[in-house]
Amino acid sequence: KIVDKLEGCVIARTAKRIRGGGRSVHYMQYDVALYQWFSDRRAQNQPVTARQLNDEAQRIASVDGRMVSRRWLEKFRKRHSIVLRKCQRKTQLSAAERTARLQKFYAYIYLQPSPISVWVNF
């Protein structure tokens, strides 16, 4: 098994581990369903709390009569690089809105007549 993994991958000189090595994910169907739910919520700019993530994971697992452990959720968040933090802004500007505001600002700065300073020395 190890030889098969080594034949198919390119190892960098600084690599400490073989890519794809390690323990496989148990309950992949829960992982996929929960990440899909999480992605949909984030795509709609809705905040996701740890409690909501836990509740949704429990709901998905309860279909098969199982429960999801706290450790599984921690590993899920680590596996998908999910950081649950408080939103810093209520609304995010889209790229078009940001560009329009920057263009308006630059026009204001560059199109203003420069004041002529007259210094009188007595």
Side-chain angles (χ1 to χ4, degrees):
K1 291 182 179 182
I2 295 174
V3 174
D4 294 336
K5 285 186 179 183
L6 286 174
E7 287 176 0
C9 69
V10 176
I11 301 174
R13 292 180 189 268
T14 60
K16 301 220 185 249
R17 290 180 173 226
I18 299 171
R19 280 196 81 101
R23 192 171 175 184
S24 62
V25 178
H26 291 292
Y27 308 116
M28 182 61 83
Q29 69 272 19
Y30 302 156
D31 192 88
V32 170
L34 187 60
Y35 189 71
Q36 182 65 43
W37 175 83
F38 177 78
S39 298
D40 291 343
R41 292 285 303 240
R42 283 286 172 95
Q44 298 169 2
N45 287 333
Q46 294 179 345
V48 178
T49 63
R51 181 69 173 251
Q52 290 171 334
L53 194 66
N54 184 18
D55 291 345
E56 185 63 21
Q58 297 300 340
R59 188 191 65 75
I60 290 170
S62 68
V63 172
D64 295 338
R66 297 187 182 270
M67 289 185 66
V68 174
S69 67
R70 190 183 87 240
R71 179 133 172 102
W72 187 88
L73 277 170
E74 289 172 4
K75 295 290 186 181
F76 171 82
R77 292 196 331 226
K78 185 175 181 182
R79 188 168 41 250
H80 294 289
S81 302
I82 295 174
V83 178
L84 300 174
R85 61 180 176 196
K86 192 173 182 177
C87 293
Q88 299 298 317
R89 287 183 61 177
K90 294 283 183 188
T91 59
Q92 294 288 333
L93 297 176
S94 67
E97 291 172 337
R98 243 180 288 137
T99 304
R101 283 190 180 190
L102 280 173
Q103 287 175 346
K104 185 178 175 183
F105 176 70
Y106 288 141
Y108 174 78
I109 289 176
Y110 291 120
L111 298 179
Q112 286 289 321
S114 59
I116 300 173
S117 298
V118 177
W119 296 94
V120 178
N121 291 331
F122 292 104

